[in-house]
Amino acid sequence: MRYQIALIRGDGIGPEQAEATLLILSRLKEILGLELEIVEAEAGDRCMERSGTPLPDETIQILRSSHACLKGPVGETAADVIVRLRQMFDLYANVRPARSFPNVPSLKPKIDLVIVRENTEDLYKGYEWEFDDAAIGIRLITKRGCERIARYAFDLAKRRRRRVVAVHKANVMRITCGLFARTCREIAKEYPDVAYSEMYVDAAAMDLIRRPEQFDVIVTTNMFGDILSDEAAQVVGGLGLAPAANIGDNYAIFEPVHGCAPDIAGKGIANPISMILSASMMLEWLAAKHKDEKCLKASKLISEAVVKVLEEGKFLTPDLGGNAKTLKLGARIAEMIGQIESS
Ligand code: GGG
């Protein structure tokens, strides 16, 4: 099957990461005959400067006619770009894995967890007003929103170590977090083969540092998930390795967890792995959606090649303690894909 992939390069380090990721996708096209047509679309701060809008209609149209989108980080316009796209395409599940890698400092050796963050509600809905010397934000949590994210987390846990912890703060936010916790408990009953527990978000933040290896799938609301996923990324070596998927029933956008890192932009030293692993998540999602074994193989090849290149330890970017350039690391991963495939 031929896939049209919308590519948003984004701001800051985004274009450099995208260039490295394209090396990997080209290699997969060559060796597996993967049919990916990349269609470029603009969004973000630079797009705003150039065209007066951070998310042009043309970009939305490109996304609408594509099978999936691969997106680099954007800067100050994140709320007008990714937060808006999540709502527009109803991408309700933000899936953020964090796992230990070889040769990368990790708080514990065997961390392998996934944060499943509700992606369309909560304080990120954008219901905020300012009047006189006060400001107000509305935290919208719906039963439907809680049900579908809980089901997503339990279904994922069934394919992993069968443990879900729902993270909330229902002792203080009794109504909004109360609804989330109550709904997760109800959905848990549909999955008797998955162990279910709950944690307050402050305790979860502490346990992510104290005993991160205990976590399998964490399901939580939007803002808590945003914060905890940066923490989880750091626990396993930093945001440079952290991919994410924004998944809906019909469409999905894949992007690094991090922002656009303007302090290192243009130097060619950003770690491309967060975007490369986001591309792997994209291929895994396409594989499941279209029952496409070739995409699944491509996804696995990327993950395997990333692990092998980290193991090798010769081409590491400065965030990983090396001095390799973004494109060199990308090129080595692309080469490694060929080596694995021909071995
Ligand atoms: N600290 C990570 C970062 O800046 N991520 C980009 C961001 O804030 N994206 C919005 C979101 O994930 O909700």
Side-chain angles (χ1 to χ4, degrees), residues 52-227:
T53 170
L55 186 61
D57 287 344
E58 194 191 339
T59 293
I60 296 167
Q61 284 317 317
I62 292 174
L63 265 61
R64 283 200 197 289
S65 57
S66 66
H67 290 92
C69 173
L70 184 60
K71 176 191 155 293
V74 300
E76 293 306 309
T77 50
D80 307 302
V81 179
I82 188 60
V83 178
R84 209 173 139 217
L85 287 171
R86 288 169 184 158
Q87 312 243 352
M88 197 180 281
F89 288 85
D90 200 21
L91 309 177
Y92 60 87
N94 193 324
V95 182
R96 296 184 158 187
R99 56 175 287 212
S100 317
F101 286 104
N103 265 330
V104 178
S106 177
L107 278 188
K108 294 277 172 77
K110 284 190 183 151
I111 300 166
D112 180 7
L113 63 90
V114 183
I115 295 180
V116 174
R117 160 189 174 192
E118 200 292 323
N119 214 19
T120 56
E121 302 191 335
D122 199 351
L123 286 164
Y124 285 21
K125 193 87 187 161
Y127 296 157
E128 290 190 307
W129 298 271
E130 200 171 1
F131 46 92
D132 300 330
D133 284 338
I136 186 167
I138 289 186
R139 183 169 201 243
L140 179 78
I141 304 287
T142 68
K143 176 93 179 160
R144 173 175 173 262
C146 297
E147 279 173 353
R148 63 183 184 173
I149 200 64
R151 285 208 174 88
Y152 190 97
F154 279 98
D155 286 335
L156 177 64
K158 281 180 78 164
R159 304 192 299 274
R160 293 175 45 92
R161 302 198 308 281
R162 293 176 180 262
R163 291 209 297 268
V164 169
V165 54
V167 169
H168 55 74
K169 189 73 181 174
N171 55 334
V172 175
M173 291 191 276
R174 294 192 180 113
I175 307 290
T176 50
C177 274
L179 175 60
F180 177 76
R182 212 165 51 243
T183 310
C184 286
R185 257 168 248 152
E186 281 167 22
I187 301 297
K189 293 191 186 119
E190 297 172 17
Y191 295 83
D193 51 347
V194 176
Y196 174 71
S197 59
E198 292 176 26
M199 264 185 158
Y200 293 136
V201 64
D202 39 1
M206 185 178 70
D207 263 12
L208 268 174
I209 289 166
R210 194 165 60 135
R211 34 187 193 147
E213 70 286 359
Q214 74 170 333
F215 290 107
D216 179 17
V217 175
I218 293 174
V219 62
T220 190
T221 45
N222 203 341
M223 191 170 76
F224 294 160
D226 191 13
I227 297 166

Side-chain angles (χ1 to χ4, degrees), residues 255-329:
E255 59 173 355
V257 167
H258 55 73
C260 73
D263 53 328
I264 55 163
K267 297 183 178 166
I269 57 167
N271 190 339
I273 291 180
S274 56
M275 193 155 175
I276 291 169
L277 289 176
S278 300
S280 170
M281 291 182 84
M282 176 181 80
L283 290 163
E284 189 185 1
W285 180 79
L286 287 170
K289 187 167 171 56
H290 300 281
K291 299 191 178 22
D292 186 333
E293 285 298 318
K294 206 184 270 185
C295 281
L296 187 60
K297 182 166 183 183
S299 165
K300 285 183 178 161
L301 271 173
I302 297 178
S303 315
E304 220 179 301
V306 165
V307 169
K308 283 198 182 301
V309 168
L310 290 171
E311 228 161 41
E312 187 180 59
K314 287 188 191 153
F315 294 88
L316 303 179
T317 41
D319 59 308
L320 300 176
N323 56 13
K325 295 281 191 177
T326 310
L327 276 179
K328 277 270 183 224
L329 176 51

